[in-house]
């Protein structure tokens, strides 16, 4: 079968690799019908892969082809969402809805035990705990939005939940990438009254406004923080969704949050420390991390099925596997917001 | 009148100072009937005061002697709790119950505009927003517990609320000082099932157990973290109350919290940074800061009045103003847990 392999910075290719196959009795194998490229894949693209010949991709929808002897609920032929981590579905953390801390868990496509989803097929550890079955035609027009529940929409939602967004809140979203845009959807769903999108790309800002953003801050650094304060009576916002992961983005987030507010961070942390004193004296909460996307599907799926939320709009191009190297390039150069793959 | 003044490290004296008097029309003057020495006063005692001749003390109960022309609800003769910050009672933050961020607020006894409560009397800015009237005899046996609502019990409660303590939770309390002990009371009130007190003083540990601690960890550093993991099935606790403020205490707190858990910190932060990556990957929430003690009185007062909680037990000695210098020495050398002052 064919799969996406990363060799080094800016070096991605499509290779023939051994077919995905059951290894443990709790495994399934799925044929990938939709996958995509993630903003977090771009960190590898810029800095190089974590391991030699890294199999890429961690977001997918697929059809179950085979299941191991111990798989109890997942059945061949089912259409399933594959969240970006696998999880046993039975440990303390899975019970609490934090599948990203599963004691037997791991992440697809980051060089660990599991391979990647930007491929024709993939072995899924702990199929019962990991996969989320759908009752939808595999070619339904909702596929892009359903695919977003594997990571990007769940991640935006995690940012909003971690930032304690609630009815009537003032919210700032740092970053106008696909996660930030899904964060706007999430903030609106949770009842935010004012949603300030902080970004620089006009097409993305337009989509943010379509999703519910009420204000736009295009400035950077201190000027951005000043503008957010101007828009919020001088106080800053109650909730910040940090959807980038750079030190500058985190500083911006902490600069625009008001006393007693919360920063929900989901951008993969590329900074070593957080300020310890200013956050203390201002009673600022810092929360978030890798999103338990699976835990949020129950809550988000009805809104996707009804069309009330349309996170699939973050995909602005669709390619086959052969187009994946070009997809990385286009996303890295901000020519594409998020690339959908039909292997 | 007489008041407590700090001159330098380990140098505290009682001086005759000008009588407390109304300055602004929103002021009141109270005669202090009960005050005390705070663990946070000891940071000044060790490192030196923030300003020359610093008037000390920020926790009190008193009787209103005089009010300014604009004071509307507070009346002379009332017995009142004086929370450790003054607050206007009308700004955005006061409305939200975060009086420690009041736009016109400040802290008593730290060298700012307001003087200190370890004195015969004190001017109270924004009397209506600051003072909490009581319907109790000034010599009621509940005075120690009522006094604790001015800071130490509210601070322990803020730690527990910030650490998201809820029914059935596993909780660790870092520090067996008066705040930590009140944190045990708070964790129990909020429904925690397992409350691990981390400390080294047998008398304080005994009080923690009386307050509801279920387990004791006497180890320090890595050994302490290992022991907490042993006591929690290897996972660590869901909520940590950080009640010290040192870098070591914060490291311990972050070492014993489990993925998805929260650290509520109320010990005045004596560290510059928090780790940015480990907290991210483990979805650890860091929250807390100076406690809005006033906001918690409504919730805590009924339990104090009924005797259901007895935070006043943290006071293990009572002195007059003359005894204050010796009180600082005794608390600093851990010979006294918390000193109550009857000026």
């Amino acid at each position: 079968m064919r799969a996406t392999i990363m060799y080094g910075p800016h070096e991605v290719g499509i290779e023939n690799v051994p077919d995905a196959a059951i290894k443990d009795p709790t495994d399934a194998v799925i044929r990938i019908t939709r996958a995509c490229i993630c903003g977090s894949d771009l960190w590898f693209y810029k800095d190089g892969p974590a391991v030699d010949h890294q199999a890429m991709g961690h977001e997918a929808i697929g059809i179950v082809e085979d299941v191991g002897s111990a798989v109890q609920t997942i059945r061949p032929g089912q259409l399933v969402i594959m969240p970006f981590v696998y999880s046993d579905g039975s440990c303390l953390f899975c019970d609490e809805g934090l599948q990203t801390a599963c004691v037997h868990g791991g992440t697809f496509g980051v060089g660990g035990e599991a391979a990647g989803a930007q491929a024709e097929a993939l072995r899924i550890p702990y199929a019962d705990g990991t996969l989320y079955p759908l009752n939808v035609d595999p070619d339904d027009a909702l596929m892009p939005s359903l695919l977003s529940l594997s990571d990007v929409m769940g991640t935006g939602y995690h940012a909003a939940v971690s930032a304690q967004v609630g009815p009537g809140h003032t919210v700032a979203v740092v970053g106008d990438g696909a996660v930030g845009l899904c964060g706007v959807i999430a903030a609106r769903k949770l009842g935010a009254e004012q949603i300030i999108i902080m970004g620089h790309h006009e097409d993305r800002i337009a989509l943010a406004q379509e999703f519910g953003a009420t204000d736009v801050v295009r400035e950077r650094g201190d000027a951005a923080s000043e503008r957010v304060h101007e828009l919020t009576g001088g106080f800053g916002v109650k909730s910040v969704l940090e959807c980038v992961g750079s030190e500058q983005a985190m500083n911006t987030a902490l600069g625009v949050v008001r006393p007693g507010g919360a920063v929900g961070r989901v951008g993969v942390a590329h900074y070593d420390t957080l300020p310890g004193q200013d956050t203390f004296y201002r009673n600022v909460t810092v929360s978030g991390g890798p999103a338990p996307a699976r835990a949020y599907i129950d809550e988000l799926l009805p809104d996707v099925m009804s069309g009330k939320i349309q996170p699939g709009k973050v995909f602005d191009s669709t390619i086959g596997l052969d187009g994946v190297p070009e997809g990385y390039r286009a996303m890295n150069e901000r020519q594409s917001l998020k690339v959908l793959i039909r292997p």
Side-chain angles (χ1 to χ4, degrees), chain A:
Chain A
M1 66 173 211
R2 296 190 309 152
T4 302
I5 305 294
M6 186 175 286
Y7 310 106
H10 296 85
E11 291 182 47
V12 176
I14 306 301
E15 273 192 19
N16 282 312
V17 300
D19 282 353
I22 302 291
K23 183 177 141 198
D24 296 317
T26 48
D27 288 350
V29 168
I30 65 171
R31 178 163 55 83
I32 307 288
T33 58
R34 298 288 188 286
C36 51
I37 301 174
C38 182
S40 67
D41 292 333
L42 298 182
W43 289 109
F44 293 116
Y45 190 72
K46 281 178 273 206
D47 301 335
V51 298
D52 190 34
H53 281 65
Q54 183 173 324
M56 299 299 298
H58 53 258
E59 305 158 280
I61 286 178
I63 295 172
V64 179
E65 287 202 327
D66 195 6
V67 296
S69 58
V71 173
Q72 299 194 343
T73 60
I74 294 295
R75 290 282 161 259
Q78 281 180 320
L79 186 75
V80 292
I81 298 175
M82 183 204 92
F84 70 93
V85 297
Y86 56 89
S87 52
D88 66 17
S90 60
C91 75
L92 173 78
F93 299 107
C94 287
D95 279 351
E96 291 186 352
L98 188 65
Q99 286 87 350
T100 40
C102 172
V103 299
H104 296 113
T107 304
F108 293 101
V110 296
E113 198 208 330
Q118 292 159 5
E120 290 183 303
L122 183 60
R123 178 178 76 88
I124 310 293
Y126 299 100
D128 286 330
T130 303
L131 298 173
Y132 192 103
L134 294 171
N135 278 312
V136 186
D137 183 90
D139 282 319
D140 192 286
L142 289 175
M143 278 305 127
S145 286
L146 291 167
L147 174 62
S148 78
L149 299 180
S150 69
D151 182 347
V152 63
M153 183 60 222
T155 294
Y157 198 69
H158 189 55
V161 169
S162 300
Q164 303 174 0
V165 176
H169 278 201
T170 51
V171 174
V173 177
V174 180
D176 60 5
V179 172
L181 296 173
C182 288
V184 172
I185 294 174
R188 186 177 188 185
K189 175 174 166 64
L190 292 169
E193 190 172 295
Q194 184 180 28
I195 304 173
I196 304 168
I197 182 76
M198 304 181 72
H200 320 290
H201 302 84
E202 289 308 319
D203 52 340
R204 300 175 183 196
I205 286 169
L207 189 51
Q209 290 172 314
E210 185 182 334
F211 284 164
T214 57
D215 298 272
V216 180
V217 169
R218 296 178 175 81
E219 289 84 348
R220 295 171 190 264
D222 290 346
S225 177
E226 281 168 29
R227 184 76 189 113
V228 170
H229 280 77
E230 281 172 19
L231 289 168
T232 54
F235 297 119
V237 294
K238 200 161 171 63
S239 300
V240 184
L241 283 55
E242 196 294 288
C243 302
V244 179
S246 68
E247 185 164 17
Q248 184 188 7
M250 193 63 197
N251 286 342
T252 297
L254 291 169
V256 302
V257 70
R258 76 184 198 202
V263 175
R265 53 187 181 137
V266 294
V268 176
H270 281 71
Y271 44 85
D272 289 330
T273 62
L274 297 165
Q277 299 224 350
D278 168 73
T279 47
F280 177 84
Y281 286 107
R282 301 199 304 135
N283 264 287
V284 166
T285 297
V286 176
S287 188
R294 195 182 193 293
Y296 295 129
I297 298 178
D298 280 343
E299 192 164 347
L300 296 171
L301 184 59
D303 282 0
V304 166
M305 295 304 294
S306 73
K308 185 176 173 189
I309 65 172
Q310 301 186 318
K313 288 190 174 183
V314 299
F315 294 105
D316 59 352
S317 75
T318 300
I319 57 175
L321 268 186
D322 289 337
V324 168
E326 167 62 16
Y328 271 85
R329 190 204 58 74
M331 275 183 65
N332 189 53
E333 296 181 10
R334 301 288 184 273
Q335 291 168 3
S336 185
L337 172 53
K338 192 168 175 76
V339 171
L340 191 148
I341 303 166
R342 299 185 63 158

